[in-house]
Amino acid sequence: DDRVHFYFHLSNSRYSDRNKKVFRIPIHVSYQGTYYLPATIVEAMYDDAYGARKKGRWIKVVAAKK
């Protein structure tokens, strides 16, 4: 797969950090090398006043240390 979609709620709770969400995605690497990690884009479904973008970057995939 070449993309991941998340759908989530921004809570108004005083116990929640509304400005920060962390997502971890496990991956399985088939080939080492240099790859382009595309931009990350976040948008509110019904309110275009909310959104964020992070530009893409080159990453290097290497074998895990044993």
Side-chain angles (χ1 to χ4, degrees), residues 4-11 17-23 40-45 50-52:
V4 177
H5 292 260
F6 287 103
Y7 300 93
F8 56 91
H9 177 72
L10 293 175
S11 174
D17 184 351
R18 184 175 179 159
N19 296 314
K20 183 177 181 180
K21 294 280 185 195
V22 176
F23 299 96
T40 300
I41 302 169
V42 180
E43 299 174 333
M45 189 175 286
Y50 296 97

Side-chain angles (χ1 to χ4, degrees), residues 1-56:
D1 295 331
D2 65 348
R3 67 198 70 197
V4 177
H5 292 260
F6 287 103
Y7 300 93
F8 56 91
H9 177 72
L10 293 175
S11 174
N12 287 328
S13 168
R14 65 185 172 131
Y15 302 107
S16 156
D17 184 351
R18 184 175 179 159
N19 296 314
K20 183 177 181 180
K21 294 280 185 195
V22 176
F23 299 96
R24 299 192 190 282
I25 304 165
I27 61 171
H28 298 278
V29 176
S30 297
Y31 299 99
Q32 296 181 61
T34 303
Y35 299 92
Y36 190 73
L37 182 65
T40 300
I41 302 169
V42 180
E43 299 174 333
M45 189 175 286
Y46 301 112
D47 187 350
D48 61 1
Y50 296 97
R53 295 176 189 264
K54 184 173 183 175
K55 70 179 184 175

